[in-house]
Amino acid sequence: MKNGYRKCLLAALFLSVICFKSIAQPTAAFTINYPAPVCVPAAFSFSNTSTGTEPLSYHWQFGDNTESDTTINPAHTFDTCGNFLITLIVTDGFGLTDTISKPVNVFCPLQTGFHFTQSISCDTAYVEFFDETAGSPSGRQWTFGDPASGASDSSSLKNPTHHYSMPGEYVVSLTVTSPAGCVSSISDS
């Protein structure tokens, strides 16, 4: 009797090993393809490198209160600046899940503005421009809308003066670049 019990026990152990095969949990992984520069509106794409037992399903959250995405390699545009946490939840064919999150920072362009004062004598005018950009631009470019002035039609000074030799209406533009590389422009006449 003891021998029969031993055989039954060995058979039960053998079946346990076969029936309870180890199931590996999925591994969520992705890379972020950043736009250059990372400024509003910022269009990102994501490369999913997750692994696990097929079929795998994906649930992406972008941290900006927009709808989630279930595609394998989504693209997403951020319309506001700030810090966002990108989260990928991977579910495998057995219902096991894994989650990974990565931060992204989207920068705003600088608030750009200017005003001017002019002094007119006869048919010429000297106009002094004042950059009112909020923040500290890493670069700026003025164009004075006066192509007849040649190289003097532009300036990178903060508060330049331009001499208009002919009367008329001129469209002046100021373009500034933020330290993050975000470009913003404003025009006035």
Side-chain angles (χ1 to χ4, degrees):
M1 193 65 130
K2 281 186 170 184
N3 221 3
Y5 176 73
R6 193 175 285 153
K7 285 181 185 178
C8 184
L9 182 61
L10 286 174
L13 286 174
F14 179 72
L15 287 175
S16 295
V17 172
I18 292 173
C19 293
F20 296 108
K21 178 179 145 186
S22 160
I23 300 172
Q25 183 168 343
T27 301
F30 67 91
T31 58
I32 302 171
N33 305 307
Y34 290 88
V38 185
C39 304
V40 169
F44 287 80
S45 62
F46 303 92
S47 298
N48 190 337
T49 57
S50 301
T51 58
T53 304
E54 298 289 336
L56 295 174
S57 63
Y58 310 100
H59 183 85
W60 295 86
Q61 298 168 335
F62 301 105
D64 62 350
N65 296 321
T66 58
E67 289 194 30
S68 58
D69 196 321
T70 58
T71 58
I72 295 173
N73 298 306
H76 186 75
T77 300
F78 291 91
D79 294 321
T80 59
C81 49
N83 296 312
F84 303 98
L85 193 62
I86 312 302
T87 301
L88 170 60
I89 302 167
V90 177
T91 304
D92 72 7
F94 294 107
L96 299 174
T97 63
D98 189 32
T99 302
I100 186 171
S101 296
K102 295 182 181 183
V104 297
N105 191 6
V106 178
F107 297 96
C108 282
L110 297 174
Q111 292 284 24
T112 306
F114 70 87
H115 74 274
F116 58 91
T117 60
Q118 59 186 350
S119 61
I120 301 173
S121 62
C122 297
D123 289 338
T124 66
Y126 286 91
V127 181
E128 200 171 356
F129 296 94
F130 300 93
D131 182 351
E132 297 174 338
T133 300
S136 300
S138 59
R140 74 176 46 80
Q141 186 66 39
W142 293 90
T143 49
F144 303 115
D146 184 15
S149 65
S152 297
D153 189 37
S154 64
S155 175
S156 59
L157 296 174
K158 181 175 183 175
N159 300 315
T161 299
H162 183 74
H163 175 248
Y164 291 93
S165 60
M166 299 294 295
E169 186 171 320
Y170 298 90
V171 176
V172 177
S173 297
L174 172 61
T175 301
V176 296
T177 304
S178 74
C182 303
V183 176
S184 57
S185 297
I186 190 167
S187 297
D188 198 359
S189 57

